[in-house]
Amino acid sequence: MGAEASPKQARVLCMNKVDLVEKKKDLLKVAEQFKDLPGYERIEGSGVEDLSRYLMEQEIPYGIEHRLLDWKELRDGSMRIEQHFITGKISQRKILVGKNGSKIGRIGIEANEELRSIFKRDVHLILQGLRYNWGP
């Protein structure tokens, strides 16, 4: 694991088959050994669903491209911007979109606020995550 964490990576302790451990206090002792490691985040949860939710909330995968499809000023002075995120794998698309669109929705809200601040006008930002087959 190394003594130094990469600033781009979080360390996660995932324990499997904990139901087979007789003394549950032993699990806490193991987890306690990890708490001071650089980059280690303590995330409470149990089961595959909690772990999947945590992992899906991480940063956008590096292999995602974005394309500006449309940019126009509307009659009321606001701007309409449509942008597509292009992924090569369905797993990347799932990370980008998030459960029920939560991730791409959050990205849209934050980007919209930043664009509104830059352009000093209302912005209608439309984001869509698409999957294209880039290779074999």
Side-chain angles (χ1 to χ4, degrees), residues 71-80 121:
W71 170 301
K72 59 177 132 178
E73 290 188 42
L74 302 178
R75 290 181 197 157
D76 65 0
S78 65
M79 300 178 75
R80 181 186 186 279
R121 62 174 86 179

Side-chain angles (χ1 to χ4, degrees), residues 2-136:
E4 297 197 20
S6 168
K8 296 183 179 180
Q9 293 179 338
R11 292 180 177 180
V12 178
L13 171 63
C14 177
M15 292 190 254
N16 192 18
K17 301 293 182 187
V18 296
D19 55 319
L20 300 178
V21 177
E22 289 182 30
K23 297 180 183 177
K24 301 301 181 197
K25 288 183 181 181
D26 290 344
L27 296 173
L28 295 173
K29 289 177 187 175
V30 171
E32 187 70 19
Q33 294 174 357
F34 284 81
K35 76 176 175 75
D36 294 327
L37 286 175
Y40 177 70
E41 296 180 31
R42 184 178 177 101
I43 305 296
E44 298 287 333
S46 62
V48 175
E49 190 173 306
D50 288 337
L51 178 62
S52 295
R53 185 177 315 120
Y54 171 77
L55 294 175
M56 294 298 267
E57 291 174 358
Q58 299 303 302
E59 295 298 316
I60 298 172
Y62 67 90
I64 292 178
E65 292 184 27
H66 59 89
R67 295 196 183 138
L68 178 65
L69 289 186
D70 191 29
W71 170 301
K72 59 177 132 178
E73 290 188 42
L74 302 178
R75 290 181 197 157
D76 65 0
S78 65
M79 300 178 75
R80 181 186 186 279
I81 301 171
E82 183 174 355
Q83 188 164 12
H84 286 183
F85 290 99
I86 313 298
T87 67
K89 298 178 182 175
I90 195 68
S91 60
Q92 291 174 330
R93 184 183 183 285
K94 286 180 180 179
I95 292 170
L96 173 68
V97 173
K99 188 173 184 175
N100 298 322
S102 61
K103 178 96 176 186
I104 200 164
R106 192 172 72 234
I107 293 167
I109 289 168
E110 292 175 13
N112 200 325
E113 289 174 5
E114 188 171 339
L115 290 169
R116 219 177 311 133
S117 172
I118 291 168
F119 294 113
K120 308 286 190 247
R121 62 174 86 179
D122 284 338
V123 175
H124 308 281
L125 181 62
I126 298 149
L127 299 178
Q128 190 171 7
L130 304 173
R131 180 184 179 271
Y132 287 118
N133 188 2
W134 286 335

